[in-house]
């Protein structure tokens, strides 16, 4: 029987092997500066931080250590958002016999100011695509890294509070504040589907992408592009567009639904923890 850490690593590996995932790196498609091997190395590198989560360490500390290990491969940021989802999920799976969306949400909601400080510190290890902060929020720009700590402590902001402030514009933050609902729903799809798990993961990815615009695409491009991508993913689901052709096009256009990939990795972890056979 695999441990939560082993299931988290396997989830990261299965996510990147799934194909086609329009716009994402998979075993058939890469970007010039972001390759399949980088994601495999990032998954392996994240293990020390995931072990911390499994052993009961604070979420922020475990996350920052996971990011440090992930970033040791030459491409830098490969799975930042996925790890931000996986760390509380691993913590919940390790701490509760009744692993569920509710117990994962309990872990997220019990985070502290120290967790928020460690989360900000994680941004010092990799470049992460983020929007400029809203007016008046410059002191909480995540790009400040540890320099934001005085403000976090002064305002007594926990990591959950930080996620709440970003939930409207960031799909990973929204998962934290909405009981990881999309991750658990996609896990249901994966479990109920059949065939190789990597293919089920790719199907879940397209379903997630079709259901809601990807917030990373909004940051990378704009809302109109994100909406277009979702509409075309829906057509691919319906068989009106070849998913493989769509994947090739999105790679050419540098359209990367990174948040959807993060959710897919989280869904795979949930399904594996609930007994998905691989």
């Amino acid at each position: 029987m695999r441990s939560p850490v082993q299931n988290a690593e396997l989830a990261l590996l299965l996510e990147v092997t799934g194909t086609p995932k329009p716009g994402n790196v998979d075993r058939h498609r890469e970007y010039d500066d972001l390759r399949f091997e980088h994601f495999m190395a990032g998954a392996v590198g994240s293990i020390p931080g995931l072990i911390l989560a499994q052993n009961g360490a604070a979420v922020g500390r475990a996350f920052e250590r996971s990011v440090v290990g992930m970033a040791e491969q030459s491409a830098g940021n490969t799975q930042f958002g996925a790890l931000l989802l996986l760390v509380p999920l691993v913590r919940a799976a390790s701490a509760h016999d009744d692993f569920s969306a509710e117990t994962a949400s309990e872990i997220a909601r019990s985070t502290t100011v120290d967790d928020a400080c460690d989360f900000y510190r994680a941004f010092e290890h990799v470049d992460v695509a983020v929007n400029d902060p809203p007016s008046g929020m410059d002191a909480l720009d995540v790009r400040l890294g540890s320099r934001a700590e005085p403000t976090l402590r002064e305002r007594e902001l926990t990591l959950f509070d930080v996620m709440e402030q970003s939930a409207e514009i960031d799909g990973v933050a929204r998962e934290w504040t909405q009981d990881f609902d999309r991750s658990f729903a996609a896990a249901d799809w994966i479990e109920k589907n059949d065939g190789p798990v990597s293919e089920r993961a790719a199907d879940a990815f397209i379903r997630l992408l079709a259901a809601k615009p990807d917030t990373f695409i909004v940051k990378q491009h704009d809302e109109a592009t994100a909406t277009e991508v979702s509409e075309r993913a829906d057509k691919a689901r319906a068989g009106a567009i070849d998913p493989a052709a769509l994947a090739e096009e999105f790679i050419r256009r540098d359209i990367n639904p990174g948040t959807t990939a993060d959710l897919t990795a989280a869904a795979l972890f949930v399904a594996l923890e609930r007994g998905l056979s691989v």
Side-chain angles (χ1 to χ4, degrees), residues 187-211:
D188 290 339
W189 306 337
I190 291 168
E191 292 174 67
K192 292 174 182 176
N193 210 337
D194 54 20
V197 175
S198 60
E199 293 181 7
R200 299 191 220 179
D203 179 71
F205 173 92
I206 290 178
R207 288 185 67 172
L208 285 165
L209 186 58

Side-chain angles (χ1 to χ4, degrees), residues 88-89 91-93 95-110 160 175-185 188 270 274:
L89 292 173
R91 183 79 176 78
H96 298 277
D97 292 332
D98 58 335
F99 174 61
S100 64
E102 290 74 22
T103 56
S105 181
E106 178 184 323
I107 294 294
R109 291 172 186 273
S110 65
F160 186 82
E175 283 293 283
W176 269 64
T177 63
Q178 298 294 323
D179 301 332
F180 300 89
D181 56 349
R182 299 188 75 200
S183 301
F184 277 82
D188 290 339
V270 172
R274 297 196 304 205

